[in-house]
Each structure stands twice: as C-alpha cells, then as structure tokens.
C-alpha cells in the first residue's frame, strides 16, 4: 500500500520572517494568511479525493487546516507529532536578535548535532513527525498534513536520505504544498514547495 501525503505549511501570520514564533500559544493567521488558506481549500476541493486532514496543534496550523477542511467537509484531526519544533529559549525572539547569537548560527549550520537551549533536537522533532507520516501509508488515497517549515523540511530530508545539516538547502514557504508518496518501501518526493496561487 502507498498513500500520497501533501505536506502543507501553515499560511502567513504577522510574525512570519520577523519573529521565531515556535510554540507561542497564540499566533493567528493574518488577513492575508486567512485568504490564502481559503484559496488552498478551493485548490484541494478541485483535486483528488482527500481521505484525512491532520494538523499540528498550533493555532496557525489549525486555522489553515480548518479553512481547507471547510471546502472538503472533512474533520481536522490534531496530531501532536506534527507540532512545531520546540525552540526553547529562542521562542518569541526576533530573527534580528538571533542573528547576533553564535549558538543560533551553529545550530543552523550543524542541525545534526547542535542543540537548542532548553529545546528539542532537530533529530527528535523529525523522528516524531516521520513516525507519524510512516503510519499514513495505510490510507487509501491522499492525506493532508498541515505543519511547520522545519518539520516539513525534516520529513522531506528523511525520505530523500539527506542529513539534517542540509535542511536549509531548500525552501518551504508559507502556504506551500510539498507532496510525497509513502509506502512500506519508503517514500518518494513528487513536488516541493508548490505555491497554488
């Protein structure tokens, strides 16, 4: 068996590109993000049948997933394994501030081994997400997983056999769709960072 897995990054919120939101309790979509999520819903409604929609527990992912689900008449299932990386002490800090931190630069250059102060390792985050995606091979059809940039990058890197140090070699933009086929034989990347609009 094999399933198509659409990895959807949440749509834009007010802090995108400015603040490392991480697991901040409330980071809602911006007006632009809401509009984009509605358009994603229309795109998926015109395409192949979607069997399930799974979402990270963060507000921005749940809002994106729900906007899509409203067009498909499917309930959204919250899945902890798709949650954002726990950025620990870096959560809520601006990227301008982080850019002055040598530890931040080391982490971005050596994600295979570097740690986040008080946070999760990249490997632990990817392992939990991949474990969940592996279980989706049982579905007959396509599944949407709405998650976060680093989680999606990590899942894709896993199936491509890339080390975690290579995560910054490709982009996963807000509201983008990356698609895998996953089976008991592994996974294959069909599309990366596709913008539907």
């Amino acid at each position: 068996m094999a399933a198509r897995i659409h990895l959807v990054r949440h749509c834009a919120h007010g802090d995108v590109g400015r603040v490392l939101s991480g697991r901040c309790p409330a980071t809602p979509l911006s007006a632009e993000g809401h509009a984009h999520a509605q358009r994603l819903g229309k795109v998926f409604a015109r395409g192949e049948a979607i069997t399930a929609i799974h979402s990270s527990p963060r507000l921005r992912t749940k809002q994106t997933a729900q906007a899509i689900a409203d067009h498909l008449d499917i309930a959204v299932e919250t899945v902890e394994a798709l949650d954002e990386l726990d950025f620990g002490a870096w959560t809520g800090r601006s990227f301008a501030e982080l850019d002055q931190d040598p530890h931040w630069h080391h982490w971005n250059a050596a994600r295979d081994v570097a740690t986040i102060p008080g946070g999760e390792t990249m490997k632990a985050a990817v392992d939990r997400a991949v474990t969940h995606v592996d279980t989706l091979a049982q579905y007959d059809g396509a599944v949407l997983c709405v998650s976060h940039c680093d989680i999606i990058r990590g899942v894709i890197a896993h199936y491509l056999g890339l080390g975690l140090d290579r995560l910054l070699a490709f982009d996963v933009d807000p509201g983008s769709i990356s698609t895998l086929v996953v089976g008991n034989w592994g996974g294959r990347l069909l599309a990366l960072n596709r913008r539907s609009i």
Side-chain angles (χ1 to χ4, degrees):
M1 293 183 71
R4 286 168 67 91
I5 313 299
H6 298 291
L7 302 170
V8 179
R9 183 180 173 190
H10 62 79
C11 294
H13 55 83
D15 289 337
V16 165
R18 195 175 56 82
V19 173
L20 184 61
S21 300
R23 294 185 176 183
C24 287
T27 307
L29 296 182
S30 62
E32 174 192 357
H34 277 291
H36 189 172
Q38 289 296 323
R39 292 192 295 272
L40 281 175
K42 292 175 183 174
V43 166
F44 281 112
R46 292 191 306 263
E48 67 190 315
I50 302 298
T51 304
I53 301 176
H54 294 175
S55 174
S56 153
R58 297 300 121 197
L59 178 60
R60 57 197 183 270
T61 48
K62 289 168 73 172
Q63 288 178 329
T64 301
Q66 191 58 57
I68 296 169
D70 288 346
H71 289 272
L72 302 175
D73 197 27
I74 297 175
V76 176
E77 181 182 343
T78 300
V79 176
E80 296 290 333
L82 298 174
D83 201 355
E84 174 66 288
L85 186 66
D86 182 352
F87 283 103
W90 292 338
T91 301
R93 291 176 62 188
S94 71
F95 288 111
E97 182 183 0
L98 287 168
D99 198 43
Q100 307 305 311
D101 184 344
H103 197 76
W104 168 255
H105 290 284
H106 174 64
W107 184 75
N108 280 304
R111 291 194 183 191
D112 266 333
V113 295
T115 58
I116 298 170
E120 185 177 26
T121 66
M122 194 74 232
K123 182 181 183 320
V126 172
D127 285 351
R128 65 172 158 79
V130 166
T131 297
H132 177 69
V133 171
D134 279 344
T135 70
L136 302 181
Q138 67 183 319
Y139 280 85
D140 182 22
V143 179
L144 301 186
C145 290
V146 184
S147 192
H148 306 269
C149 182
D150 282 329
I151 300 302
I152 294 171
R153 279 175 166 160
V155 168
I156 291 168
H158 168 81
Y159 289 109
L160 291 180
L162 298 176
L164 297 177
D165 293 349
R166 299 293 297 146
L167 290 192
L168 300 184
F170 56 91
D171 293 328
V172 174
D173 296 325
S176 66
I177 306 163
S178 297
T179 304
L180 298 164
V181 173
V182 176
N184 57 10
W185 41 266
R188 185 172 73 252
L189 182 67
L190 299 181
L192 175 65
N193 198 36
R194 184 164 55 90
R195 297 300 301 260
S196 61
I197 52 171

